[in-house]
Amino acid sequence: MSVEKVVIIGSGPAGLTAAIYAARANLSPLVFEGYNAGGLVPGGQLMFTTDVENFPGFEHGILGPKLMTAMRAQAERFGTRFIREDVVSVDFSRSPFKIRSDEAAADAHAVIIATGARANWLNLPNEQRLAKTGGGVSACAVCDGALPAFRNQELVVIGGGDSAVEEASYLTKFASVVHVVHRRDQLRASKIMQERFHKLVEHGKIKPVWNSVVTDVIGESSIEAVELKDTNSGAIRRLACKGLFLAIGHTPNTELFKGVLGTDERGYLKLSRPGSTYTSVEGVFAAGDVADHVYRQAVTAAGTGCMAALDAERWLAARGIE
Ligand code: NAP
């Protein structure tokens, strides 16, 4: 088997941007674009979004799947090769590195990991059905919150962390009121975010729903209400809404790299040099949400994908591989 110069694992904005840069640097990258690992599909989280209105260059927004199809075609145009399979194992213990899927295998001098993260869901049947059909259930307020269907409507956010406060305050720009449903009676969010939250509560823009969990999502083609259970009394009630946004954390797709690469306490890949994409193994780089629990935007993922390709290119060149 010939040794690839660079193998990229993942095909969201980070992986495909890395591919575009690596291909243009004549590294002829091979991308394992995934199949359904972690509930994702080739193209990653944006494949589940409708309008992407904050990716620079698209004045009128662009559909998530359209953006990812264009990125893939751009990478392919410069010579990127793709394998539509999930990677099932890696061996980074010695060079060349080994990457395996069920039907394929590759040896590589350098690897870029861009496996992303997946939003956590409650995994209620109606939540999943309406999320997949654009029925007003989303795990990304910044991606979907500005859609016309949510204007001047009552919306629900679930969660009590920084993301929940951030998403809820973003939604107050559009909603008539945002109900924040949290399973405890106090936020986990940072102090500054808590202050922002309480100000919005004072102004009537946010209504907290403490000690409550969502036990069902009601609606046929679009959401009409959530069913709430009071965690103290067990009482069940309905809260009418036109949108539901989950902000109950993300899980990085790093299961493959457990014990192989350094991770932080949340499981995100740790970068060994600040401001770079180097991981704990020389020659293995990380880009996008898999190593970023803070920004988690398509544009930041694309930016770090570019950085990873440049880091890999320079790392390979220093070893005479061009
Ligand atoms: P997080 O801090 O882990 O908070 C998740 C929230 O969801 C918690 O309040 C948790 O409840 C709740 N939750 C988890 N599972 C649940 C379930 N099954 N049902 C109901 N509620 C559930 O996650 P995050 O808010 O996404 O933040 C992640 C990291 O990113 C944090 O370090 C945060 O500081 C950072 N972040 C920063 C900013 C910012 O500074 N602007 C913005 C976003 C994120 P409990 O509280 O009961 O555990």
Side-chain angles (χ1 to χ4, degrees):
M1 194 191 316
S2 66
V3 180
E4 301 288 339
K5 290 176 192 158
V6 58
V7 161
I8 298 168
I9 309 176
S11 59
L16 292 181
T17 305
I20 292 165
Y21 273 77
R24 287 174 55 82
N26 281 337
L27 295 175
S28 184
L30 176 66
V31 176
F32 281 85
E33 63 181 336
Y35 183 65
N36 66 0
L40 290 171
V41 295
Q45 294 186 73
L46 284 189
M47 299 300 284
F48 303 119
T49 328
T50 50
D51 290 296
V52 180
E53 295 186 326
N54 54 9
F55 200 89
F58 300 96
E59 189 185 355
H60 302 292
I62 180 166
L63 292 172
K66 197 169 173 194
L67 178 61
M68 297 322 299
T69 305
M71 277 194 206
R72 189 184 187 283
Q74 193 177 355
E76 202 164 30
R77 179 178 151 220
F78 293 112
T80 302
R81 292 156 301 136
F82 291 90
I83 295 178
R84 183 158 289 203
E85 284 195 48
D86 295 324
V87 170
V88 293
S89 71
V90 294
D91 181 355
F92 296 158
S93 61
R94 67 188 108 87
S95 183
F97 304 129
K98 294 194 181 305
I99 301 98
R100 281 185 192 289
S101 61
D102 278 339
E103 303 281 330
D107 288 356
H109 291 296
V111 174
I112 295 173
I113 297 169
T115 48
R118 52 189 189 271
N120 295 338
W121 296 86
L122 296 173
N123 287 319
L124 300 168
N126 288 332
E127 166 211 49
Q128 291 300 298
R129 180 176 55 78
L130 290 171
K132 284 181 185 135
T133 54
V137 178
S138 163
C140 180
V142 180
C143 318
D144 300 325
L147 293 177
F150 301 130
R151 303 256 160 170
N152 299 316
Q153 301 293 343
E154 298 204 17
L155 305 178
V156 168
V157 170
I158 310 176
D162 281 338
S163 294
V165 175
E166 192 168 71
E167 307 238 322
S169 51
Y170 177 75
L171 291 171
T172 59
K173 293 184 203 166
F174 317 106
S176 58
V177 65
V178 181
H179 303 272
V180 175
V181 176
H182 185 33
R183 61 185 177 184
R184 295 185 295 129
D185 64 357
Q186 55 179 310
L187 297 175
R188 164 183 301 283
S190 54
K191 209 163 180 249
I192 189 161
M193 297 297 266
Q194 296 209 20
E195 282 166 12
R196 184 187 294 183
F197 182 86
H198 292 302
K199 248 186 210 139
L200 288 162
V201 172
E202 270 167 34
H203 290 121
K205 300 254 184 195
I206 287 181
K207 285 191 183 164
V209 184
W210 303 117
N211 298 316
S212 297
V213 289
V214 170
T215 47
D216 200 0
V217 179
I218 316 297
E220 279 307 313
S221 58
S222 61
I223 184 170
E224 288 159 18
V226 289
E227 185 183 85
L228 295 176
K229 182 177 171 189
D230 186 302
T231 54
N232 290 328
S233 67
I236 302 274
R237 70 176 173 105
R238 279 190 184 189
L239 174 64
C241 63
K242 292 288 183 205
L244 172 64
F245 294 86
L246 287 100
I248 57 171
H250 282 73
T251 302
N253 295 314
T254 50
E255 287 80 1
L256 266 181
F257 313 111
K258 272 214 174 98
V260 175
L261 296 174
T263 54
D264 68 13
E265 63 285 355
R266 297 183 193 89
Y268 287 83
L269 293 186
K270 237 195 215 156
L271 300 176
S272 59
R273 300 186 197 175
S276 82
T277 61
Y278 281 71
T279 67
S280 56
V281 172
E282 280 276 321
V284 178
F285 305 87
D289 289 11
V290 74
D292 168 24
H293 69 269
V294 177
Y295 300 105
R296 300 193 314 244
Q297 299 298 304
V299 68
T300 49
T304 53
C306 159
M307 288 166 63
L310 295 177
D311 282 346
E313 182 189 354
R314 288 167 194 164
W315 188 85
L316 288 167
R319 282 151 189 82
I321 303 163
E322 294 185 357

